[in-house]
Amino acid sequence: MARVVVDVMLKPEILDPQGQAVQRALPRLGFEGIADVRQGKRFELEVEGPVDDALLVRVREMAETFLANTVIEDYTVRLETASGAEAAVSGSTGAGAAGSGAASEGAGATA
Amino acid sequence: MSGGLGRIGVVTFPGSLDDRDARRAISLAGGEPVALWHRDKSLHDVDAVVLPGGFSYGDYLRCGAIARFSPVMETLIEQARAGMPVLGICNGFQVLCESHLLPGALTRNDHLHFLCRDQRMSVENVNTAWTRDYQPGQEITVPLKNGEGGYVADTRTLDALEAEGRVVFRYAGPNPNGSYRGIAGISNEAGNVVGLMPHPEHAVEALTGPTTDGLGFFTSVLKTLVVSS
């Protein structure tokens, strides 16, 4: 069964207090040299049947409307292949300002 | 009320907490509360709707993200766009943002703590469906209780909200949660849809609330309904 992975991260300009709390805890635990931590979400979608372009379009729709709130979050969609290698099939750039909802599609080849 | 005006629906989602208090506040203001159920598409001919506080769908995914796709919201979004007064309180505000009826989003409080206290805020726009019984700039105190109450939006949206008078409520005193520009609540362009993080429905009786400052939300909408009928 093929797996499509959707990663959702807060846009760079949105404060991530959870990531900051993790980062601040690191030196206390003996992990030095970590300048910044951002915390996000990862969705693993187990797909019935073949993964084709039409399916990836649907997954991007799902990410855009539901899995991510594009006012504050960016997302990437990628296919996890059997070999364990992951091929990026699309992604948002994270360049847009919060609220623009502009998650432009990255130019990745479908695996 | 004559002509059946003053029927105000309160939606219950799985995980809603403050639906009962909202219905009680509507009664105390002189309206007729109508319980609405998230799986029922029908709004049962109500004149206005309150989306109450709580943790709809356990706050899974994001606060309000799953509630936004419930059957009742399909009808509500349509009606809100057509001008029906809608008030979103706390989780209800989050649902309105997720529905794109209001711009921006609510994020984790900057200090990461769940905050529960009486909060002062100023009413900056008294021309919305839910604030006409207040004075411009009036300071009111109602409970605030949330973990994800930080209002964020991009600069252009914030500037537009300010320019159009759509910042309806602003926190008075220290910013309690890192909300951009101290924003506690906003409205849509038409002023019929209002969302805020503080809880007016918990400040309607001297016995249980810090004040009765919240009652004005519900008397306001009843007046709005009479005027617009």
Side-chain angles (χ1 to χ4, degrees), chain A residues 13 15 17-18 21 41 43 65-69 71-73 98-99, chain B residues 61-62 65-66 69 98 100 104-105 107-110 112 152 154 180:
Chain A
E13 64 269 30
L15 181 73
Q18 292 183 99
K41 297 189 190 100
F43 299 88
T65 56
F66 188 45
L67 299 182
N69 177 351
V71 173
I72 50 170
E73 294 169 326
Chain B
L61 187 60
R62 294 178 304 279
I66 298 177
F69 289 100
E98 283 283 344
H100 305 299
T107 59
R108 191 63 64 110
N109 293 343
D110 59 356
L112 288 174
V152 301
D154 64 282
Y180 289 4

Side-chain angles (χ1 to χ4, degrees), chain B residues 17-38:
Chain B
L17 295 178
D18 302 325
D19 42 346
R20 192 175 288 240
D21 276 26
R23 295 203 300 268
R24 184 166 168 75
I26 291 162
S27 291
L28 287 170
E32 180 191 343
V34 178
L36 301 176
W37 183 236
H38 68 114

Side-chain angles (χ1 to χ4, degrees), chain A residues 32-92:
Chain A
E32 304 290 342
I34 306 298
D36 191 25
V37 174
R38 305 280 290 174
Q39 181 177 319
K41 297 189 190 100
R42 171 186 166 112
F43 299 88
E44 299 181 342
L45 312 177
E46 306 299 333
V47 180
E48 294 172 344
V51 176
D52 51 19
D53 285 350
L55 177 102
L56 291 170
V57 167
R58 293 288 290 156
V59 172
R60 278 193 288 271
E61 256 176 60
M62 184 200 307
E64 182 83 26
T65 56
F66 188 45
L67 299 182
N69 177 351
T70 54
V71 173
I72 50 170
E73 294 169 326
D74 293 320
Y75 64 89
T76 58
V77 176
R78 64 183 192 277
L79 178 64
E80 204 172 72
T81 61
S83 66
E86 291 181 353
V89 291
S90 79
S92 52

